Amino acid sequence: MNYSKEDFLEKAKEIALQGLPFVLFSHPNSTDIHLIYQNDDTLHTADFSKDQGFIMCPFHGGSPLLLKQENYLTTTLLPAEKPILSATLIPTQGDREHYHILFEKALKAIEEHTLEKVVLSRRIAYQGNQKSLLNYFLDLIVLSPTAFCYAFSHPKVGRWLAATPETLLKVTGNILHTMSLAGTKPFVEGKSPLWTEKEYREQQIVTDTITQVLRPLTTDLSIGKVHEVRAGRLWHLCTEITAKITPNTPIQEIVQRLHPTPAVCGFPTDKARNFLLKNEDYSREFYAGYCGLTHWGENRSIDLFVNLRCAQLTQEEIFVYVGGGVNSGSQEESEWQETENKAQTMLRVLQ
């Protein structure tokens, strides 16, 4: 149902105060924002063959959760002035030594040919004064107009906020679209990024893995050319991939085989995931999982994104999750700085 901006925001505040499960979201390059909420706090597991609503799936060890689309509202926001934010890097708190130890272990595993690539993550604690989830979301969509942005709240799950640039899977009818997104450079006004062999190799691993997964399940597989895309204050390398899904292939099977991609885990996938579970010393929870929408009406569709550039809001503090891929050409200080750059997306909104 279409609402005026004022009525929409009032309804969103009301639902949050009632403690009902809800999600606010906006699609890339859109001025429309949407609200889905449930009538009670029942926790549902997603069934891709019939459900309609918003999906959240963890990086490891859990089934995809569904926030059922029992109520749906939408409105259009006019372009808003950007919040006044710091132009300098916001410093993060001291997990530098832990990252050094983790990086050394990763490089050793790569040198011993146990791994070809592994994506190391950081969980950064932010302890400033908290605003409402709605206010964070409204700032986020202004600052990240090309990303899929959401603010998710469920009393039995927690509160999450993200602005992710990466599509995991988009399906309309029997047409599938995904992307390989890897390699990162900071955005500098007026300058083009200079890509090295390290970034191209990192991105090619992701492309090769995705296509290997899709070939037995699809036809007419088409792989685009590598190109650069901007996401906020960062550049990435991207390859678009499309295909037709073969008859009677369950969408859920495709999703399960794609997740997690080497862009958020590493390669070989199982060995990289085991390395991370053993050495990162915390649970990623929904970071590097996936999120998005499923609709199984007259025209089936699914729109899932890799859960990146995200934050977890607790009563005491906020955790910002970021990561970066490590391979044989990686330098520790450069990789650390990449995570610092990625963290700014959320830290600037939270400040």
Side-chain angles (χ1 to χ4, degrees), residues 251-317:
I251 300 298
Q252 200 146 352
E253 180 181 351
I254 298 175
V255 174
Q256 288 170 347
R257 292 197 188 189
L258 283 175
H259 169 69
T261 74
V264 295
C265 181
F267 186 82
T269 302
D270 289 342
K271 290 182 178 180
R273 180 167 45 205
N274 289 337
F275 175 91
L276 296 171
L277 294 173
K278 179 180 178 181
N279 293 292
E280 280 192 332
D281 294 338
Y282 60 84
S283 171
R284 291 186 175 191
E285 298 196 41
F286 290 108
Y287 167 68
Y290 59 83
C291 57
L293 297 146
T294 177
H295 173 75
W296 292 94
E298 184 176 342
N299 297 308
R300 70 173 186 171
S301 65
I302 189 167
D303 207 357
L304 299 178
F305 296 82
V306 182
N307 205 8
L308 302 176
R309 312 291 193 276
C310 64
Q312 177 187 21
L313 287 71
T314 71
Q315 293 298 325
E316 295 77 24
E317 57 193 340

Side-chain angles (χ1 to χ4, degrees), residues 102-298:
L102 188 60
F103 185 89
E104 289 294 310
K105 289 180 179 178
L107 215 56
K108 182 179 179 182
I110 291 168
E111 289 170 352
E112 294 175 348
H113 304 291
T114 303
L115 300 174
E116 186 172 343
K117 171 189 174 180
V118 64
V119 180
L120 306 182
S121 74
R122 296 173 57 201
R123 185 176 68 173
I124 302 163
Y126 176 85
Q127 296 175 321
N129 294 327
Q130 289 196 30
K131 298 185 292 186
S132 73
L133 195 57
L134 174 59
N135 285 338
Y136 284 138
F137 175 72
L138 293 175
D139 284 348
L140 193 63
I141 60 175
V142 174
L143 294 168
S144 303
T146 62
F148 178 77
C149 299
Y150 77 82
F152 173 94
S153 178
H154 196 300
K156 295 179 179 178
V157 177
R159 295 178 297 156
W160 287 76
L161 181 74
T164 174
E166 184 173 351
T167 295
L168 177 69
L169 183 70
K170 183 178 180 67
V171 175
T172 304
N174 69 337
I175 303 300
L176 171 156
H177 169 259
T178 185
M179 66 169 58
S180 161
L181 190 76
T184 304
K185 291 288 185 181
F187 171 80
V188 180
E189 195 70 51
K191 293 185 178 181
S192 297
L194 296 176
W195 302 104
T196 67
E197 181 187 352
K198 183 262 181 186
E199 286 92 29
Y200 280 111
R201 185 166 68 249
E202 183 181 350
Q203 205 264 347
Q204 191 62 48
I205 289 172
V206 181
T207 302
D208 291 345
T209 303
I210 290 174
T211 54
Q212 287 169 13
V213 167
L214 293 179
R215 285 191 192 282
L217 306 172
T218 63
T219 61
D220 299 342
L221 187 67
S222 174
I223 304 169
K225 293 183 178 180
V226 179
H227 61 283
E228 57 194 30
V229 294
R230 182 182 167 189
R233 305 292 298 178
L234 299 171
W235 288 103
H236 300 289
L237 292 173
C238 180
T239 301
E240 306 284 347
I241 301 168
T242 59
K244 288 183 180 179
I245 302 170
T246 55
N248 303 317
T249 298
I251 300 298
Q252 200 146 352
E253 180 181 351
I254 298 175
V255 174
Q256 288 170 347
R257 292 197 188 189
L258 283 175
H259 169 69
T261 74
V264 295
C265 181
F267 186 82
T269 302
D270 289 342
K271 290 182 178 180
R273 180 167 45 205
N274 289 337
F275 175 91
L276 296 171
L277 294 173
K278 179 180 178 181
N279 293 292
E280 280 192 332
D281 294 338
Y282 60 84
S283 171
R284 291 186 175 191
E285 298 196 41
F286 290 108
Y287 167 68
Y290 59 83
C291 57
L293 297 146
T294 177
H295 173 75
W296 292 94
E298 184 176 342

Side-chain angles (χ1 to χ4, degrees), residues 73-94:
L73 287 66
T74 186
T75 193
T76 300
L77 294 183
L78 296 175
E81 291 185 12
K82 290 188 177 182
I84 300 174
L85 302 177
S86 171
T88 59
L89 281 176
I90 300 168
T92 62
Q93 299 302 312

